[in-house]
Each structure stands twice: as structure tokens, then as C-alpha cells.
Amino acid sequence: MSSRMAQWGNDLYTGDRSINFVGKSRTWYIISAVIMAVAALGFLVQGLNLSLEFTGGSEFRVATSGAPADYEDEATAAVREVAGNAASANVSTLGGTTIRVQTEELDGDQAREVAQQLATTFGVESNKVSSSFIGPSWGASVSQQALRALVVFIIITTALMALYYRNWKMALASMVALAHDMLITVGIYTWTGFEVSPATLIGFLTVLGYSLYDTVVVFDHVKENTRAAFQNKRSTFANAANLAVNQTLVRSVNTTVIAVLPILAVLVIGFAKLGPGTLLDLSLALFIGMTVGAFSSVFIATPLLVDLRRKDPEVLALDKAAAKQPVRTPLRESVPAGAAPTTTKGATPAASTSAPSTSVSSRDAEPVAGETPQTVTGRAVHKYAQSAGPRNQPKKTPRNRRGSR
């Protein structure tokens, strides 16, 4: 199984196998547009469930030996007995033993009475109940600082990417993918009702950096492949960019899985044992954002870049020149019946057009002596990207066999 996966990744890298991400860009756009529309609708229907740090109010924590099964009803009844039947209470447990009760703003006397009533209800001493008050002005300050940090991050990142790639369209494509990730992530919070706390905002900002990092890795390969294509005129801009996505696909999947697994473990422990808190809020935002970010870097960023540059004069000239080159058929795609087989450099052409057509790829062709194997863009294949085995596994030679010198 592992050898098949390694071979599959190696085929994607060399171009012997290809997934048409760029060619099906309209499909990805439609899927993303539907998801983003549903996410945006959540702001109108549900809205964000802001934590006490943003809305302001009073919070009580009751330290018990174990929360009873009906702790929510008992805590709500205790609050309403003091503050009135119209009072609302958000009740949850922390670590399975501490009961947290959040209410609207209460004055000093009401807060003391609620604390005493909670102590009586759960049969604990009064010193086991702590109370705190958070004003709405503090939450407004946190929101303003978060928005300011987001604006500064976007401005600086856009400028740096435009300078690094020397192309503003690459920066624009990466920012669109970034906005795509953030809208879907926040939209999931609106529909699920997950609480948005300051720790959640930290997670959102961290997700922006992770998503941008994954996109930059893909764009680096796009830059290398398209540069080679402009030099040798062997591939269109779209094909060179699509090859870059295929070459980084395995890396993107592996990186995302490795990053998400420990976060998933924290989530399971948080929901099962710890309860609401900073750790759970942060890990939940990271889990959702990283998963969505892996999708955008593969299915949105590069196809959008190709569409933005499709009408550029240099891209049109490249596509016209590449159309005159022999087509290199991927190993896993067959030539239509009755068509002449596609040959690559060094391959022996068919003796007659009436012969059965076959699929010929760089692997089927015998390499010319002294030449370095190349991908479909004309770039030299990495020395460990061998057709006979997985990458990073050099072939054995008498020099490196045991007992040979």
C-alpha cells in the first residue's frame, strides 16, 4: 500500500499521472460559491454566539465534587429565583466538576444573592462559589484590536507577496483564497452555535497564516514551472500551473493531516473531559480553518491565478507556441481509438497509422543517452524522483551494496 502511494505521488510529480485541477476550475468555483453563500446566510439567520468577554455580564463558577445530571436546570432556576423569570443563564461544566454560569449584567447585591443561591442549590460552602463581572467596553476594545490586526496583516501580506512574486495577480489570488477560508470558517461558527471568544479570534488569525503558508508553497512551484515553460515553450501556462498543484498535492495532504491529528486529539479531550475554555476554543478554530485552508490552496488559489492571467500577452504567446509542440500523453490517460499514438523524445514512432493506438509516456520511451529526464514543462526531474520506485529512495548500485567497495 505504501509503495503504491509513493508511486502515485511520484507519478504526479513527474507528470505521468495528472489531476486536472485547473481545467475544472468552474466546478470548484461553483462548489465554493455555494458553501460561501450558505456561510454568509448564517450571519443573517443565526449570528455569532459571542462569549461573555464581548457581550459583558456576570459569571459564576461553582466548585463541586461532581456535577449532577440536571445541573443546567438547577443553575438556571437559582439565577431566576434572584434575578426574575426573564433572566437568562448560559450553563456549562469545566473539567466535569466546575459549573460555570453566565448571566446578563447583575448589580452587586444581585450577584451576591445569586452566588449564595448557587451554593445552597449545589450543597457547597459559599467560598466554593466565585463571581466576576466583565463590562461590554472590554469586549469592544478586544474586537477593535482584532479587526485592526486583521487589516494590518492583510495589507502587509499583500504587499510582500506582490514584491516576492513580482506579480500582483498572484497576491490577489492568495488574498481571495484567504478570504474564502475565513468566511467559511466563521460561517461554520454561525450555524453550529460554537462560542466565539478571544481565544477563537487568536485561532482565526493563526488560520490565516497557515492557509497563506500552504498557498505560498504551491505558488512557488507554479512560479518555477511557468518560468521553465516560458523558456522552452513546451507547455501552456495552465498545464504548467496544473502540474505544480499535482506536484504539491501529496505534500499538502500530508502536512494537513499531520497538523490536524494532534488538534483533533485536543478536541476530543476538550469535549469529553475539559469542557468550554481557552484550549477548546483555540483548537476548534484551528481544526476548522486548517481543513478549509487545505481545500483553497489546491482548488481555488491556482485555478484563480490561471484565470486572472489567461489574457496576459505573454501567456497568450506561450499558449500559442506550446500548441505547436507534440502533446505528451500522461501514463494514466489513453489515446482515443483510431488516433495516432503520441510519442515523446526518444520514443520509436508507430510503423503505421492503422496499427492499434497505444498510450506512450516518458516512462514508456527510452531516454536519449546523456540526457536528463524532464517533466512535461521541461524542468529536470529530481534525482530521487525515479520511475522505478518512490521518491527519496535511490536505486541500489554495486557501490552502495553491503560488502562492495
Side-chain angles (χ1 to χ4, degrees), residues 356-385:
S357 60
T358 56
S359 176
V360 181
S361 69
S362 61
R363 181 175 299 181
D364 300 320
E366 291 296 331
V368 178
E371 285 196 359
T372 303
Q374 297 175 335
T375 63
V376 294
T377 61
R379 290 180 56 206
V381 177
H382 193 276
K383 63 181 180 179
Y384 291 149

PDB file of all heavy atoms in Angstrom, residues 356-385:
ATOM      1  N   PRO A 356      -2.938  -0.482 -33.939  1.00  0.00           N
ATOM      2  CA  PRO A 356      -3.703  -0.101 -32.748  1.00  0.00           C
ATOM      3  C   PRO A 356      -2.977   0.990 -31.981  1.00  0.00           C
ATOM      4  O   PRO A 356      -1.767   0.926 -31.790  1.00  0.00           O
ATOM      5  CB  PRO A 356      -3.774  -1.422 -31.940  1.00  0.00           C
ATOM      6  CG  PRO A 356      -3.542  -2.488 -32.953  1.00  0.00           C
ATOM      7  CD  PRO A 356      -2.648  -1.921 -33.978  1.00  0.00           C
ATOM      8  N   SER A 357      -3.744   1.979 -31.535  1.00  0.00           N
ATOM      9  CA  SER A 357      -3.143   3.114 -30.826  1.00  0.00           C
ATOM     10  C   SER A 357      -2.852   2.721 -29.397  1.00  0.00           C
ATOM     11  O   SER A 357      -3.600   1.997 -28.760  1.00  0.00           O
ATOM     12  CB  SER A 357      -4.097   4.306 -30.848  1.00  0.00           C
ATOM     13  OG  SER A 357      -5.305   3.967 -30.215  1.00  0.00           O
ATOM     14  N   THR A 358      -1.774   3.244 -28.880  1.00  0.00           N
ATOM     15  CA  THR A 358      -1.374   2.978 -27.509  1.00  0.00           C
ATOM     16  C   THR A 358      -1.001   4.286 -26.857  1.00  0.00           C
ATOM     17  O   THR A 358      -0.767   5.281 -27.517  1.00  0.00           O
ATOM     18  CB  THR A 358      -0.149   2.030 -27.450  1.00  0.00           C
ATOM     19  OG1 THR A 358       0.903   2.612 -28.220  1.00  0.00           O
ATOM     20  CG2 THR A 358      -0.503   0.658 -27.991  1.00  0.00           C
ATOM     21  N   SER A 359      -0.946   4.272 -25.551  1.00  0.00           N
ATOM     22  CA  SER A 359      -0.558   5.462 -24.799  1.00  0.00           C
ATOM     23  C   SER A 359       0.931   5.423 -24.543  1.00  0.00           C
ATOM     24  O   SER A 359       1.443   4.460 -23.975  1.00  0.00           O
ATOM     25  CB  SER A 359      -1.312   5.515 -23.468  1.00  0.00           C
ATOM     26  OG  SER A 359      -0.874   6.594 -22.708  1.00  0.00           O
ATOM     27  N   VAL A 360       1.627   6.430 -24.966  1.00  0.00           N
ATOM     28  CA  VAL A 360       3.081   6.485 -24.817  1.00  0.00           C
ATOM     29  C   VAL A 360       3.417   7.641 -23.920  1.00  0.00           C
ATOM     30  O   VAL A 360       2.975   8.759 -24.128  1.00  0.00           O
ATOM     31  CB  VAL A 360       3.769   6.669 -26.188  1.00  0.00           C
ATOM     32  CG1 VAL A 360       5.279   6.691 -26.027  1.00  0.00           C
ATOM     33  CG2 VAL A 360       3.363   5.549 -27.131  1.00  0.00           C
ATOM     34  N   SER A 361       4.188   7.410 -22.901  1.00  0.00           N
ATOM     35  CA  SER A 361       4.582   8.461 -21.979  1.00  0.00           C
ATOM     36  C   SER A 361       6.086   8.462 -21.859  1.00  0.00           C
ATOM     37  O   SER A 361       6.782   7.656 -22.451  1.00  0.00           O
ATOM     38  CB  SER A 361       3.950   8.225 -20.600  1.00  0.00           C
ATOM     39  OG  SER A 361       4.541   7.099 -20.001  1.00  0.00           O
ATOM     40  N   SER A 362       6.555   9.379 -21.031  1.00  0.00           N
ATOM     41  CA  SER A 362       8.006   9.458 -20.838  1.00  0.00           C
ATOM     42  C   SER A 362       8.549   8.188 -20.211  1.00  0.00           C
ATOM     43  O   SER A 362       9.713   7.846 -20.381  1.00  0.00           O
ATOM     44  CB  SER A 362       8.326  10.667 -19.943  1.00  0.00           C
ATOM     45  OG  SER A 362       7.701  10.513 -18.691  1.00  0.00           O
ATOM     46  N   ARG A 363       7.717   7.482 -19.477  1.00  0.00           N
ATOM     47  CA  ARG A 363       8.199   6.245 -18.857  1.00  0.00           C
ATOM     48  C   ARG A 363       8.334   5.138 -19.894  1.00  0.00           C
ATOM     49  O   ARG A 363       9.190   4.264 -19.797  1.00  0.00           O
ATOM     50  CB  ARG A 363       7.228   5.815 -17.748  1.00  0.00           C
ATOM     51  CG  ARG A 363       7.662   4.558 -17.046  1.00  0.00           C
ATOM     52  CD  ARG A 363       6.762   4.255 -15.907  1.00  0.00           C
ATOM     53  NE  ARG A 363       6.813   5.325 -14.951  1.00  0.00           N
ATOM     54  CZ  ARG A 363       6.125   5.300 -13.823  1.00  0.00           C
ATOM     55  NH1 ARG A 363       5.360   4.292 -13.530  1.00  0.00           N
ATOM     56  NH2 ARG A 363       6.198   6.298 -12.987  1.00  0.00           N
ATOM     57  N   ASP A 364       7.433   5.149 -20.911  1.00  0.00           N
ATOM     58  CA  ASP A 364       7.489   4.113 -21.923  1.00  0.00           C
ATOM     59  C   ASP A 364       8.632   4.345 -22.913  1.00  0.00           C
ATOM     60  O   ASP A 364       9.068   3.420 -23.588  1.00  0.00           O
ATOM     61  CB  ASP A 364       6.173   4.075 -22.704  1.00  0.00           C
ATOM     62  CG  ASP A 364       4.998   3.772 -21.783  1.00  0.00           C
ATOM     63  OD1 ASP A 364       5.188   2.924 -20.904  1.00  0.00           O
ATOM     64  OD2 ASP A 364       3.942   4.380 -21.948  1.00  0.00           O
ATOM     65  N   ALA A 365       9.064   5.585 -23.047  1.00  0.00           N
ATOM     66  CA  ALA A 365      10.102   5.900 -24.027  1.00  0.00           C
ATOM     67  C   ALA A 365      11.479   5.647 -23.453  1.00  0.00           C
ATOM     68  O   ALA A 365      11.726   5.844 -22.277  1.00  0.00           O
ATOM     69  CB  ALA A 365       9.983   7.359 -24.459  1.00  0.00           C
ATOM     70  N   GLU A 366      12.371   5.214 -24.309  1.00  0.00           N
ATOM     71  CA  GLU A 366      13.745   5.028 -23.889  1.00  0.00           C
ATOM     72  C   GLU A 366      14.448   6.381 -23.882  1.00  0.00           C
ATOM     73  O   GLU A 366      14.407   7.118 -24.859  1.00  0.00           O
ATOM     74  CB  GLU A 366      14.476   4.100 -24.878  1.00  0.00           C
ATOM     75  CG  GLU A 366      13.994   2.667 -24.816  1.00  0.00           C
ATOM     76  CD  GLU A 366      14.273   2.024 -23.485  1.00  0.00           C
ATOM     77  OE1 GLU A 366      15.263   2.425 -22.832  1.00  0.00           O
ATOM     78  OE2 GLU A 366      13.512   1.143 -23.072  1.00  0.00           O
ATOM     79  N   PRO A 367      15.100   6.780 -22.769  1.00  0.00           N
ATOM     80  CA  PRO A 367      15.751   8.074 -22.724  1.00  0.00           C
ATOM     81  C   PRO A 367      16.954   8.115 -23.647  1.00  0.00           C
ATOM     82  O   PRO A 367      17.635   7.126 -23.865  1.00  0.00           O
ATOM     83  CB  PRO A 367      16.166   8.202 -21.257  1.00  0.00           C
ATOM     84  CG  PRO A 367      16.281   6.794 -20.774  1.00  0.00           C
ATOM     85  CD  PRO A 367      15.268   5.999 -21.535  1.00  0.00           C
ATOM     86  N   VAL A 368      17.190   9.302 -24.183  1.00  0.00           N
ATOM     87  CA  VAL A 368      18.356   9.502 -25.024  1.00  0.00           C
ATOM     88  C   VAL A 368      19.590   9.531 -24.146  1.00  0.00           C
ATOM     89  O   VAL A 368      19.598  10.125 -23.066  1.00  0.00           O
ATOM     90  CB  VAL A 368      18.216  10.820 -25.819  1.00  0.00           C
ATOM     91  CG1 VAL A 368      19.454  11.061 -26.657  1.00  0.00           C
ATOM     92  CG2 VAL A 368      16.971  10.757 -26.688  1.00  0.00           C
ATOM     93  N   ALA A 369      20.651   8.886 -24.600  1.00  0.00           N
ATOM     94  CA  ALA A 369      21.880   8.798 -23.800  1.00  0.00           C
ATOM     95  C   ALA A 369      22.412  10.188 -23.506  1.00  0.00           C
ATOM     96  O   ALA A 369      22.527  11.037 -24.382  1.00  0.00           O
ATOM     97  CB  ALA A 369      22.931   7.989 -24.572  1.00  0.00           C
ATOM     98  N   GLY A 370      22.760  10.415 -22.247  1.00  0.00           N
ATOM     99  CA  GLY A 370      23.353  11.681 -21.843  1.00  0.00           C
ATOM    100  C   GLY A 370      22.342  12.754 -21.487  1.00  0.00           C
ATOM    101  O   GLY A 370      22.717  13.825 -21.028  1.00  0.00           O
ATOM    102  N   GLU A 371      21.037  12.498 -21.670  1.00  0.00           N
ATOM    103  CA  GLU A 371      20.028  13.495 -21.372  1.00  0.00           C
ATOM    104  C   GLU A 371      19.437  13.246 -19.990  1.00  0.00           C
ATOM    105  O   GLU A 371      19.356  12.118 -19.525  1.00  0.00           O
ATOM    106  CB  GLU A 371      18.906  13.463 -22.412  1.00  0.00           C
ATOM    107  CG  GLU A 371      19.301  14.084 -23.733  1.00  0.00           C
ATOM    108  CD  GLU A 371      18.075  14.387 -24.582  1.00  0.00           C
ATOM    109  OE1 GLU A 371      16.963  14.077 -24.121  1.00  0.00           O
ATOM    110  OE2 GLU A 371      18.250  14.944 -25.675  1.00  0.00           O
ATOM    111  N   THR A 372      19.027  14.347 -19.334  1.00  0.00           N
ATOM    112  CA  THR A 372      18.401  14.271 -18.029  1.00  0.00           C
ATOM    113  C   THR A 372      16.896  14.147 -18.181  1.00  0.00           C
ATOM    114  O   THR A 372      16.300  14.900 -18.957  1.00  0.00           O
ATOM    115  CB  THR A 372      18.729  15.537 -17.211  1.00  0.00           C
ATOM    116  OG1 THR A 372      20.148  15.667 -17.122  1.00  0.00           O
ATOM    117  CG2 THR A 372      18.124  15.453 -15.807  1.00  0.00           C
ATOM    118  N   PRO A 373      16.215  13.219 -17.481  1.00  0.00           N
ATOM    119  CA  PRO A 373      14.764  13.119 -17.588  1.00  0.00           C
ATOM    120  C   PRO A 373      14.097  14.439 -17.217  1.00  0.00           C
ATOM    121  O   PRO A 373      14.579  15.163 -16.344  1.00  0.00           O
ATOM    122  CB  PRO A 373      14.416  12.006 -16.583  1.00  0.00           C
ATOM    123  CG  PRO A 373      15.680  11.237 -16.407  1.00  0.00           C
ATOM    124  CD  PRO A 373      16.790  12.211 -16.583  1.00  0.00           C
ATOM    125  N   GLN A 374      12.991  14.735 -17.889  1.00  0.00           N
ATOM    126  CA  GLN A 374      12.314  16.001 -17.683  1.00  0.00           C
ATOM    127  C   GLN A 374      10.826  15.769 -17.448  1.00  0.00           C
ATOM    128  O   GLN A 374      10.251  14.761 -17.857  1.00  0.00           O
ATOM    129  CB  GLN A 374      12.496  16.919 -18.907  1.00  0.00           C
ATOM    130  CG  GLN A 374      13.942  17.307 -19.165  1.00  0.00           C
ATOM    131  CD  GLN A 374      14.085  18.118 -20.441  1.00  0.00           C
ATOM    132  OE1 GLN A 374      13.262  18.013 -21.335  1.00  0.00           O
ATOM    133  NE2 GLN A 374      15.129  18.919 -20.513  1.00  0.00           N
ATOM    134  N   THR A 375      10.208  16.745 -16.775  1.00  0.00           N
ATOM    135  CA  THR A 375       8.759  16.745 -16.619  1.00  0.00           C
ATOM    136  C   THR A 375       8.140  17.360 -17.857  1.00  0.00           C
ATOM    137  O   THR A 375       8.839  17.764 -18.783  1.00  0.00           O
ATOM    138  CB  THR A 375       8.351  17.555 -15.375  1.00  0.00           C
ATOM    139  OG1 THR A 375       8.757  18.919 -15.559  1.00  0.00           O
ATOM    140  CG2 THR A 375       9.006  17.011 -14.121  1.00  0.00           C
ATOM    141  N   VAL A 376       6.807  17.470 -17.869  1.00  0.00           N
ATOM    142  CA  VAL A 376       6.134  17.981 -19.048  1.00  0.00           C
ATOM    143  C   VAL A 376       6.449  19.445 -19.307  1.00  0.00           C
ATOM    144  O   VAL A 376       6.251  19.950 -20.408  1.00  0.00           O
ATOM    145  CB  VAL A 376       4.606  17.799 -18.917  1.00  0.00           C
ATOM    146  CG1 VAL A 376       4.250  16.352 -18.900  1.00  0.00           C
ATOM    147  CG2 VAL A 376       4.078  18.519 -17.679  1.00  0.00           C
ATOM    148  N   THR A 377       6.926  20.174 -18.313  1.00  0.00           N
ATOM    149  CA  THR A 377       7.275  21.577 -18.530  1.00  0.00           C
ATOM    150  C   THR A 377       8.697  21.745 -19.011  1.00  0.00           C
ATOM    151  O   THR A 377       9.119  22.852 -19.326  1.00  0.00           O
ATOM    152  CB  THR A 377       7.116  22.375 -17.223  1.00  0.00           C
ATOM    153  OG1 THR A 377       7.998  21.830 -16.231  1.00  0.00           O
ATOM    154  CG2 THR A 377       5.694  22.324 -16.715  1.00  0.00           C
ATOM    155  N   GLY A 378       9.467  20.673 -19.040  1.00  0.00           N
ATOM    156  CA  GLY A 378      10.851  20.771 -19.455  1.00  0.00           C
ATOM    157  C   GLY A 378      11.823  20.888 -18.313  1.00  0.00           C
ATOM    158  O   GLY A 378      13.038  20.895 -18.517  1.00  0.00           O
ATOM    159  N   ARG A 379      11.325  20.970 -17.081  1.00  0.00           N
ATOM    160  CA  ARG A 379      12.198  21.022 -15.909  1.00  0.00           C
ATOM    161  C   ARG A 379      12.815  19.655 -15.665  1.00  0.00           C
ATOM    162  O   ARG A 379      12.183  18.622 -15.888  1.00  0.00           O
ATOM    163  CB  ARG A 379      11.427  21.449 -14.657  1.00  0.00           C
ATOM    164  CG  ARG A 379      10.986  22.896 -14.632  1.00  0.00           C
ATOM    165  CD  ARG A 379      10.233  23.190 -13.346  1.00  0.00           C
ATOM    166  NE  ARG A 379      11.036  22.866 -12.185  1.00  0.00           N
ATOM    167  CZ  ARG A 379      10.539  22.533 -11.003  1.00  0.00           C
ATOM    168  NH1 ARG A 379       9.253  22.436 -10.830  1.00  0.00           N
ATOM    169  NH2 ARG A 379      11.336  22.276  -9.989  1.00  0.00           N
ATOM    170  N   ALA A 380      14.055  19.648 -15.192  1.00  0.00           N
ATOM    171  CA  ALA A 380      14.726  18.385 -14.890  1.00  0.00           C
ATOM    172  C   ALA A 380      14.049  17.705 -13.711  1.00  0.00           C
ATOM    173  O   ALA A 380      13.718  18.343 -12.717  1.00  0.00           O
ATOM    174  CB  ALA A 380      16.195  18.637 -14.575  1.00  0.00           C
ATOM    175  N   VAL A 381      13.805  16.405 -13.834  1.00  0.00           N
ATOM    176  CA  VAL A 381      13.206  15.651 -12.756  1.00  0.00           C
ATOM    177  C   VAL A 381      14.213  15.498 -11.629  1.00  0.00           C
ATOM    178  O   VAL A 381      15.405  15.281 -11.860  1.00  0.00           O
ATOM    179  CB  VAL A 381      12.754  14.262 -13.259  1.00  0.00           C
ATOM    180  CG1 VAL A 381      12.199  13.421 -12.121  1.00  0.00           C
ATOM    181  CG2 VAL A 381      11.703  14.428 -14.341  1.00  0.00           C
ATOM    182  N   HIS A 382      13.737  15.631 -10.412  1.00  0.00           N
ATOM    183  CA  HIS A 382      14.609  15.483  -9.249  1.00  0.00           C
ATOM    184  C   HIS A 382      15.295  14.118  -9.276  1.00  0.00           C
ATOM    185  O   HIS A 382      14.710  13.117  -9.691  1.00  0.00           O
ATOM    186  CB  HIS A 382      13.774  15.629  -7.967  1.00  0.00           C
ATOM    187  CG  HIS A 382      14.609  15.809  -6.727  1.00  0.00           C
ATOM    188  ND1 HIS A 382      15.142  14.750  -6.053  1.00  0.00           N
ATOM    189  CD2 HIS A 382      14.998  16.925  -6.073  1.00  0.00           C
ATOM    190  CE1 HIS A 382      15.818  15.188  -5.010  1.00  0.00           C
ATOM    191  NE2 HIS A 382      15.734  16.507  -4.997  1.00  0.00           N
ATOM    192  N   LYS A 383      16.528  14.087  -8.817  1.00  0.00           N
ATOM    193  CA  LYS A 383      17.312  12.847  -8.938  1.00  0.00           C
ATOM    194  C   LYS A 383      16.691  11.686  -8.174  1.00  0.00           C
ATOM    195  O   LYS A 383      16.955  10.525  -8.473  1.00  0.00           O
ATOM    196  CB  LYS A 383      18.726  13.088  -8.434  1.00  0.00           C
ATOM    197  CG  LYS A 383      18.805  13.467  -6.950  1.00  0.00           C
ATOM    198  CD  LYS A 383      20.254  13.703  -6.541  1.00  0.00           C
ATOM    199  CE  LYS A 383      20.362  14.089  -5.058  1.00  0.00           C
ATOM    200  NZ  LYS A 383      21.758  14.297  -4.663  1.00  0.00           N
ATOM    201  N   TYR A 384      15.865  11.960  -7.150  1.00  0.00           N
ATOM    202  CA  TYR A 384      15.229  10.888  -6.396  1.00  0.00           C
ATOM    203  C   TYR A 384      13.817  10.590  -6.895  1.00  0.00           C
ATOM    204  O   TYR A 384      13.135   9.711  -6.376  1.00  0.00           O
ATOM    205  CB  TYR A 384      15.167  11.240  -4.910  1.00  0.00           C
ATOM    206  CG  TYR A 384      16.533  11.240  -4.256  1.00  0.00           C
ATOM    207  CD1 TYR A 384      16.807  12.107  -3.196  1.00  0.00           C
ATOM    208  CD2 TYR A 384      17.538  10.393  -4.697  1.00  0.00           C
ATOM    209  CE1 TYR A 384      18.050  12.119  -2.594  1.00  0.00           C
ATOM    210  CE2 TYR A 384      18.782  10.393  -4.102  1.00  0.00           C
ATOM    211  CZ  TYR A 384      19.039  11.257  -3.054  1.00  0.00           C
ATOM    212  OH  TYR A 384      20.257  11.269  -2.457  1.00  0.00           O
ATOM    213  N   ALA A 385      13.325  11.359  -7.852  1.00  0.00           N
ATOM    214  CA  ALA A 385      12.004  11.098  -8.423  1.00  0.00           C
ATOM    215  C   ALA A 385      12.157  10.098  -9.555  1.00  0.00           C
ATOM    216  O   ALA A 385      12.209  10.441 -10.722  1.00  0.00           O
ATOM    217  CB  ALA A 385      11.369  12.385  -8.925  1.00  0.00           C
TER     218      ALA A 385
END
